Amino acid sequence: MDCLFCKFASGESPVEKIAENDLAFAINDINPVAPKHVLVIPRAHHENAVASSKSDPTLLTAIFSLVDEIVTRDGIDSYRTLFNTGAGAGQSVFHTHLHLVAGRPFGWPPG
């Protein structure tokens, strides 16, 4: 498998992890859309969040545990979390990952 996030998870491709637990880790996005843009990635490979939750519902708990750790540590009180599912929704790496974005106002509806 040639999955970039799997390579990060295994250590095959080094990346600076800003938070981690047994099931997931967080990194800064290389193309941020806000002053704070973090990707929270489960270590296990699944194509999207629904596939992850079907395989192991504790993965979503692990992801949101890291979100809580990051926003608490960094004093963030307003933020958006987002899972893109499918190329038409903007998913470019087909390994589950949550976008945590903060540090600027966000409009509604998104997109």
Side-chain angles (χ1 to χ4, degrees):
M1 184 181 320
D2 192 33
C3 173
L4 178 62
F5 291 169
C6 286
K7 290 178 180 179
F8 290 162
S10 71
E12 182 181 339
S13 291
V15 67
E16 182 181 351
K17 296 174 182 168
I18 62 168
E20 59 185 312
N21 59 33
D22 289 343
L23 299 177
F25 61 96
I27 62 174
N28 288 311
D29 194 296
I30 62 169
N31 295 310
V33 299
K36 183 71 156 186
H37 187 166
V38 172
L39 302 180
V40 183
I41 307 163
R43 296 178 191 281
H45 181 88
H46 301 283
E47 187 170 310
N48 57 52
V50 172
S52 287
S53 69
K54 285 180 179 180
S55 173
D56 182 356
T58 64
L59 291 176
L60 295 181
T61 300
I63 288 169
F64 281 102
S65 175
L66 288 179
V67 168
D68 182 53
E69 178 183 328
I70 293 163
V71 300
T72 300
R73 177 190 69 208
D74 295 352
I76 298 168
D77 63 356
S78 296
Y79 57 92
R80 182 169 285 169
T81 58
L82 173 72
F83 288 103
N84 294 319
T85 301
Q91 186 177 10
S92 59
V93 177
F94 292 87
H95 179 124
T96 302
H97 58 287
L98 175 142
H99 293 259
L100 165 64
V101 290
R104 69 168 175 84
F106 298 103
W108 193 261

